[in-house]
Amino acid sequence: IKAMQEVLEDVRLYPDNECYHLGRALAERFDVPREQILIGRGSDEIIHMIGLAFMKPGDEILIPDNPFVLYEFTGTLMDANLVRVPLKDYRYDLEAMADKISDKTKVVFVANPNNPTGTIVTHDEIVRFLDVLGDKGILVLDEAYYEYVDDAKFPNALDLVNEGRNVIFLRTFSKIYSLAGLRLGYGITTPELAAALAKVREP
């Protein structure tokens, strides 16, 4: 609150479009180049950017039944086909999702941990799924609640990105930091995917 009060006089100015200081801080925290950091008006905006950058009419996106509404909305907005896969024991069924991968698959959304069930998919499950997905599509790991996970089997999304996998992982300041009203989210991905997303980011 004190930090926000200190910058109240600056609200007459347009914001820094590159989020220079936050971008540098995140890059330092995760030990990745600044170019791999995505910052959005909440992770919602980054989900929208993923649609703009990577989806076109007729593409398929894989989502669970009853997904976070932005996955469905983004796919519908881009006129993509929504391929729904039921949860199994309140968890993402990655084996069933892998069976649905086709040449039209562009994006797969996995909330990990899932909202609202609180269940996770493990690192080994994600790796097996990525081995099937290959270069056909992009896996989006929505980790909005990852700070609440206490399970050694939880995936290390940064390792997957550093391996060059087609992975984008998203996080937010809305939950653990209680800053939902600021609309501030971020993501990390490969340099190639980050460059494509930068082209569709609104000022």
Side-chain angles (χ1 to χ4, degrees):
I1 291 172
K2 181 181 177 182
M4 288 188 279
Q5 289 171 336
E6 289 175 352
V7 297
L8 282 175
E9 291 185 2
D10 293 333
V11 296
R12 70 190 188 282
L13 303 172
Y14 282 105
D16 163 26
N17 193 46
E18 297 303 316
C19 304
Y20 176 81
H21 295 291
L22 178 59
R24 286 190 65 183
L26 289 168
E28 183 176 338
R29 176 173 181 148
F30 292 102
D31 193 25
V32 296
R34 170 62 183 90
E35 302 77 53
Q36 291 181 235
I37 305 286
L38 314 165
I39 299 175
R41 296 186 297 272
S43 51
D44 293 8
E45 183 186 23
I46 303 174
I47 292 169
H48 178 62
M49 290 162 55
I50 289 166
L52 292 174
F54 302 119
M55 296 179 198
K56 64 181 186 299
D59 286 342
E60 293 180 352
I61 66 168
L62 296 183
I63 58 174
D65 278 340
N66 304 309
F68 175 50
V69 66
L70 260 295
Y71 310 158
E72 189 173 21
F73 177 76
T74 297
T76 301
L77 183 68
M78 302 309 297
D79 204 19
N81 296 322
L82 306 174
V83 179
R84 301 174 189 274
V85 180
L87 298 178
K88 182 178 181 181
D89 298 326
Y90 303 103
R91 300 176 69 240
Y92 274 75
D93 187 347
L94 290 186
E95 289 188 9
M97 292 183 88
D99 289 341
K100 297 288 186 179
I101 293 171
S102 75
D103 291 338
K104 294 183 177 181
T105 303
K106 278 296 176 67
V107 177
V108 182
F109 286 105
V110 174
N112 200 31
N114 188 37
N115 177 17
T117 65
T119 56
I120 68 164
V121 291
T122 68
H123 185 82
D124 289 346
E125 289 172 323
I126 289 287
V127 168
R128 286 196 296 270
F129 180 82
L130 284 169
D131 287 343
V132 176
L133 182 63
D135 293 328
K136 294 186 183 78
I138 298 164
L139 174 62
V140 179
L141 292 173
D142 186 349
E143 297 187 339
Y145 293 91
Y146 93 103
E147 290 98 342
Y148 299 98
V149 178
D150 183 14
D151 190 322
K153 295 179 181 179
F154 190 74
N156 187 324
L158 185 57
D159 283 350
L160 298 172
V161 169
N162 288 337
E163 290 171 9
R165 303 269 197 166
N166 284 343
V167 170
I168 303 168
F169 70 90
L170 308 178
R171 294 179 181 173
T172 179
F173 288 90
S174 296
K175 314 304 186 215
I176 195 74
Y177 295 103
S178 299
L179 296 173
L182 285 186
R183 307 310 307 133
L184 190 58
Y186 67 96
I188 300 178
T189 189
T190 64
E192 296 79 12
L193 294 180
L197 288 163
K199 293 178 182 177
V200 300
R201 185 175 188 273
E202 296 181 9

